[in-house]
Structure formats: C-alpha cells, structure tokens
Amino acid sequence: MIRAVIVMNTQGKPRLTKFYDYMPAEKQQELIRRVFGVLCSRAENVSNFNTRLVYKHYATLYFVFIFDSSENELAMLDLIQVFVETLDKCFKNVCELDIVFNYSKVKYRPTLFSILLHNDHKSFAMLEPVMLHAILDEIIFGGQVLETSSTEVMKAVEEISRVGDSLEYYHTRP
C-alpha cells in the first residue's frame, strides 16, 4: 500500500502532500523533514534506496512515494513517471511554478467513485482543493493504485470536469 505522496522542491518546501494513513500534522512535518534530509545527502544518480521510499528528481522538484513492502519499487518509479506525464499534459511541461500558481485555480472535480460513495453532490460542489489532487486521486485512491496510463487518467479528469461543469450549471440555475 502507498502510504504517502510528496512533491517538494530542492529546498525542502513541500508543494503537494497526500497521506493515505492518518498521521498528525506534526508527524507529517517531521516525516517531510526526514525525507528531505535523506534526499539531500544522496548522490544525484541514485533514484531509490530502500523498500519504503522511492523518488525521482525532475528539475527543481522531487516526486516521492512512500509505501510498504507489498509494493514493487520499479512499479512505484513507473507510477511517478505516469503522474509527471499527466501533469505535463495538463500544464505543458510542468514545473514548480505551475504547481505553486495553478494550485487553486482549477476546481476539484470528485471521482465518480467518491460521488457514489458519499452520494452528496452539493458538498463536493463547494470543495476547491485542486486539480493536482484530482489527478493524483485518479492514479492512487486510498493508497491503492487505480490507473497506470496517463492517457486514461487524462480521459477521467476531462470526464470529471464535464460532470462537474454540468453539476455546477444545475446548482446555479434559478
């Protein structure tokens, strides 16, 4: 099971975090600091170092997946690649500035699974976390891998956007 996904810059500032196990905020911050400390002390050509953490370094960003022994390291590296490819398709060569400045511009569109699970369309229409989390939720949900094709993830995100737009239209009609 995937325990967490962290995207941080080369100075250790987290740009995206998603924890799939409950962890108090203090523990999350401590984990992020410890991960960054380990990443900084690694050689540039090393891309993974144990069965619990795998990362890839793209330009000024580290994409880190923390997982348990039931997951394969190479599969996690491939999943990082899928996530980055999908972000590239959304933002045209994603960079740290895209993550920072586009973080809250796009409304979150819930996965169809989460709509069915909660059966409450109005509460989701009020949420605005971000497209980054929506993309990540299409790839990983509840710590389990859902999709490994960036093309399929993009189709799902576009469909969610269409459903969200129609729900928004429905809720704004007099």
Side-chain angles (χ1 to χ4, degrees), residues 85-96:
E85 283 176 12
T86 306
L87 292 175
D88 279 346
K89 288 178 183 178
C90 287
F91 298 112
K92 309 294 184 252
N93 294 324
V94 70
C95 68
E96 184 178 359

Side-chain angles (χ1 to χ4, degrees), residues 121-141:
H121 306 291
K122 290 182 182 180
S123 64
F124 282 112
M126 294 179 215
L127 293 176
E128 293 189 9
V130 290
M131 184 169 209
L132 297 172
H133 281 283
I135 292 168
L136 191 55
D137 285 347
E138 288 300 321
I139 298 170
I140 303 167
F141 193 80

Side-chain angles (χ1 to χ4, degrees), residues 101-116:
F101 292 115
N102 292 312
Y103 194 79
S104 61
K105 285 185 179 178
V106 182
K107 288 185 180 176
Y108 176 77
R109 307 299 187 199
T111 60
L112 295 176
F113 175 75
S114 62
I115 289 175
L116 295 172

Side-chain angles (χ1 to χ4, degrees), residues 9-66:
N9 67 13
T10 53
Q11 283 77 42
K13 184 161 179 129
R15 296 303 188 185
L16 172 72
T17 58
K18 181 93 175 195
F19 291 88
Y20 297 100
D21 282 341
Y22 171 74
M23 188 180 295
E26 306 83 43
K27 292 264 187 197
Q28 290 178 4
Q29 293 302 316
E30 179 185 335
L31 177 64
I32 291 168
R33 280 191 298 274
R34 285 182 24 219
V35 165
F36 181 69
V38 171
L39 295 177
C40 288
S41 64
R42 304 291 295 172
E44 278 295 314
N45 61 348
V46 177
S47 62
N48 62 8
F49 53 89
N50 67 28
T51 60
R52 296 185 326 138
L53 187 143
V54 168
Y55 72 94
K56 285 190 112 173
H57 185 196
Y58 293 97
T60 61
L61 293 172
Y62 287 106
F63 289 81
V64 183
F65 281 30
I66 300 169

